[in-house]
Amino acid sequence: MQAAATLAPVSLGADTPEVESWPFSVELATPTIGAEIGNIHLADIDEPTVQALRRALQKYKVLFFRDQDITPAQHVALARRFGDLEVHPSIQHHPDHPELVVFGHDGNSRGRENVWHSDVSWREVPSMGSILRCVDCPKVGGDTLWVNMVAAYENLPEAVKDRIAPMQAVHDGFPVFGIRLSPELARNWQRDFPAQVHPVVRTHPETGEKILFVNEGWTTHLANYLQLEPYRVGSDARFGELDLLAYLYRQASQPEYQVRLKWRPNTIAFWDNRATQHYAVSDYFPAVRHMQRATIIGDRPR
């Protein structure tokens, strides 16, 4: 009998000294993803620190910062140090800073972000990263999880890697955002934000890492499945595609690739949106959870 394959998460070097001397403290959150960054005030950082944070982000995929009492203007200015910022077409904005989206839930609004996703992968140019700050958090509940999709790809069986290497996936925001719109506004959305085709396996533009780039939130189907997969009858093709997508979606659910953050007010998370997915746990209703996020424009997946 063939032995079962074992997971081999990407190591962040938990048992080895840091190669780089950081201008801030670094405490690993898990062996595979995440680090808590200390001895830093994000409202006042110089350019060498910005570049060090960029390198840390590439290595750890998501960075956590505690006790960052910054204003919305400082939040926007911080994010802009890493690139141009997007203005989201549907989510509520901060009244003075359209680059900040506001997630506010309480006894009148239940959280709906509880699905694994990569922010705005439905755009032609998805985001490079997101910087999320807790303004008001429940004492218990409302955690967020991130998953290392580099590790998820690297641990796939070689036969699956070969199978998905040429595949393209369709990402579409309309099924989520379009249902809230009038027919006219829905047509405008589809005109302005048509579904996009991205590779199932993208390459990180800075590290060269291979990334499994499909997510349950926005990936609707595989664009070229019928051209690549043999089938006997049409139903074979449809069910085969759904089975493969479900298998790829499930890779995000492996705890070995994940990190979980318990929020406190003025906690900030900064994640590489190209190499991760995240999931906001909606277990806190009817408590108040108020978050603000700036999103940095990235590059077209290749």
Side-chain angles (χ1 to χ4, degrees):
M1 180 180 296
Q2 184 178 3
T6 57
L7 295 175
V10 175
S11 174
L12 296 178
D15 299 323
T16 59
E18 288 290 338
V19 174
E20 181 165 359
S21 178
W22 304 104
F24 35 72
S25 65
V26 176
E27 182 178 351
L28 296 185
T30 78
T32 310
I33 178 173
E36 185 159 325
I37 307 300
N39 298 326
I40 189 171
H41 182 46
L42 291 174
D44 183 24
I45 53 176
D46 57 19
E47 187 57 26
T49 302
V50 169
Q51 295 308 316
L53 286 173
R54 187 182 291 273
R55 294 191 298 274
L57 185 69
Q58 293 167 14
K59 181 171 185 177
Y60 303 113
K61 308 298 189 280
V62 57
L63 308 177
F64 305 132
F65 307 84
R66 298 291 190 182
D67 303 319
Q68 300 293 320
D69 187 7
I70 64 176
T71 67
Q74 290 171 328
H75 188 163
V76 171
L78 167 68
R80 194 166 279 126
R81 301 291 294 273
F82 296 90
D84 294 332
L85 306 184
E86 72 163 39
V87 175
H88 199 285
S90 292
I91 303 176
Q92 180 183 354
H93 305 157
H94 187 281
D96 300 320
H97 302 280
E99 304 92 343
L100 279 185
V101 297
V102 175
F103 300 95
H105 297 296
D106 53 27
N108 298 312
S109 170
R110 189 181 295 271
R112 300 294 184 188
E113 298 83 27
N114 52 339
V115 61
W116 286 108
H117 65 285
S118 174
D119 286 333
V120 299
S121 68
W122 44 265
R123 286 190 183 271
E124 181 179 5
V125 179
S127 75
M128 165 270 189
S130 297
I131 300 179
L132 180 67
R133 172 174 170 261
C134 170
V135 178
D136 194 0
C137 312
K139 289 185 177 180
V140 178
D143 299 351
T144 301
L145 293 86
W146 286 264
V147 58
N148 182 341
M149 297 308 293
V150 174
Y153 172 77
E154 290 188 354
N155 279 291
L156 288 173
E158 291 301 320
V160 176
K161 292 181 183 178
D162 292 341
R163 184 183 180 193
I164 65 177
M167 287 189 177
Q168 304 282 323
V170 177
H171 297 244
D172 192 357
F174 183 76
V176 172
F177 295 116
I179 60 173
R180 310 172 187 175
L181 303 176
S182 68
E184 180 180 0
L185 291 177
R187 288 191 294 271
N188 292 342
W189 171 282
Q190 291 177 303
R191 178 198 66 208
D192 296 336
F193 305 102
Q196 297 295 322
V197 177
H198 298 313
V200 169
V201 181
R202 71 174 294 182
T203 301
H204 196 289
E206 295 168 282
T207 68
E209 295 169 312
K210 297 293 185 181
I211 304 161
L212 181 59
F213 197 66
V214 296
N215 67 85
E216 189 179 359
W218 307 120
T219 306
T220 58
H221 61 285
L222 299 171
N224 58 345
Y225 183 86
L226 291 179
Q227 288 74 35
L228 296 171
E229 294 286 321
Y231 61 91
R232 300 172 304 125
V233 292
S235 59
D236 271 3
R238 183 56 176 157
F239 289 124
E241 178 186 2
L242 292 174
D243 287 345
L244 177 57
L245 263 181
Y247 174 80
L248 297 178
Y249 292 154
R250 285 198 303 273
Q251 302 312 305
S253 67
Q254 297 294 336
E256 287 83 358
Y257 311 147
Q258 297 173 2
V259 64
R260 182 168 182 149
L261 174 66
K262 178 175 175 54
W263 293 98
R264 299 197 300 260
N266 293 324
T267 295
I268 286 178
F270 181 13
W271 64 92
D272 188 330
N273 202 55
R274 301 160 295 190
T276 67
Q277 294 179 31
H278 57 284
Y279 182 111
V281 181
S282 296
D283 59 352
Y284 53 91
F285 182 84
V288 173
R289 186 176 186 269
H290 179 198
M291 318 290 283
Q292 296 179 355
R293 187 190 77 199
T295 303
I296 305 154
I297 299 171
D299 58 284
R300 188 176 180 88
R302 304 196 185 280

